[in-house]
Amino acid sequence: MKTNHHFFREILIKRYLYIFFLLVTGYLKAQTVTVSGNWAASVPAITEAGNNYTGTYDNTSSTAITMSGTLPGSFLNLLSSSGAKITMHYTTTAWNNSLVLSAKRTGGTATINGICLACTATINGGTTYTAIPQATDVTFVTITFTGLLGLGNSVNFSGINLQLQLSGVSVTVPAASYNARVVFTVAAN
């Protein structure tokens, strides 16, 4: 029996769209980024009138902050060798706009899992300090991969050591406790 009624056609279209959406989301697996560690800048007290702070502090002498994660094969297939990027921004509840938070990376490896012919994955960029904006994303590193994607592929990245830098510290910034959380996001490059 053929349905010519507009209402029934609309219901069928919606049903097919829902089924398509469920199939696509069931196929795609989420890419993940894990960051471990934190840093609290230690700013020494000024003991003599007329002095200012050195202005720049970093976490090179404290506990390392490391990043790792996974890009599943479904995500890689969507990108078709254009690669992925990890972006960053910060959110805060107490901050002074004179303070600038920056990040850079040292190290890091990327490996491809699964059956793949002549495949390579590399981590690029992020080796110099990049200012982290508030609310808008900026690219931190890119992960590129080449080769023929096979079965059960995924790219794991690990050993990315993050170095944070705080600049703009001055006697003109009111004495207070400031904090920020850096948010990293994986997206298509």
Side-chain angles (χ1 to χ4, degrees):
M1 182 165 115
K2 192 173 181 181
T3 61
N4 289 327
H5 195 272
H6 176 69
F7 177 74
F8 290 120
R9 275 189 269 164
E10 188 174 313
I11 288 175
L12 287 174
I13 289 172
K14 284 182 182 179
R15 183 177 296 168
Y16 288 128
L17 287 175
Y18 287 134
I19 291 171
F20 175 74
F21 178 72
L22 287 174
L23 289 174
V24 168
T25 56
Y27 173 70
L28 296 177
K29 294 180 183 169
Q31 54 278 6
T32 60
V33 176
T34 303
V35 179
S36 62
N38 60 30
W39 173 56
S42 178
V43 179
I46 293 178
T47 58
E48 189 174 322
N51 286 349
N52 199 352
Y53 295 100
T54 58
T56 303
Y57 303 91
D58 60 33
N59 69 328
T60 55
S61 63
S62 64
T63 305
I65 300 172
T66 59
M67 179 188 300
S68 60
T70 302
L71 305 175
S74 55
F75 183 70
L76 299 175
N77 290 333
L78 281 176
L79 298 178
S80 325
S81 80
S82 63
K85 64 181 175 181
I86 299 177
T87 61
M88 62 183 175
H89 71 272
Y90 74 87
T91 60
T92 182
T93 54
W95 196 254
N96 184 295
N97 289 334
S98 296
L99 301 174
V100 177
L101 191 59
S102 302
K104 76 174 185 175
R105 75 166 175 98
T106 59
T109 59
T111 56
I112 296 178
N113 300 319
I115 301 169
C116 194
L117 299 173
C119 294
T120 61
T122 56
I123 301 171
N124 306 300
T127 56
T128 59
Y129 280 110
T130 301
I132 305 171
Q134 184 178 4
T136 59
D137 284 325
V138 65
T139 299
F140 179 52
V141 296
T142 58
I143 300 173
T144 56
F145 41 89
T146 58
L148 303 172
L149 294 176
L151 299 172
N153 291 75
S154 63
V155 172
N156 291 342
F157 55 93
S158 62
I160 299 175
N161 294 318
L162 299 173
Q163 292 184 348
L164 298 176
Q165 181 183 69
L166 179 66
S167 58
V169 178
S170 169
V171 293
T172 60
V173 176
S177 184
Y178 300 106
N179 62 60
R181 179 172 39 149
V182 181
V183 178
F184 295 96
T185 306
V186 177
N189 193 12

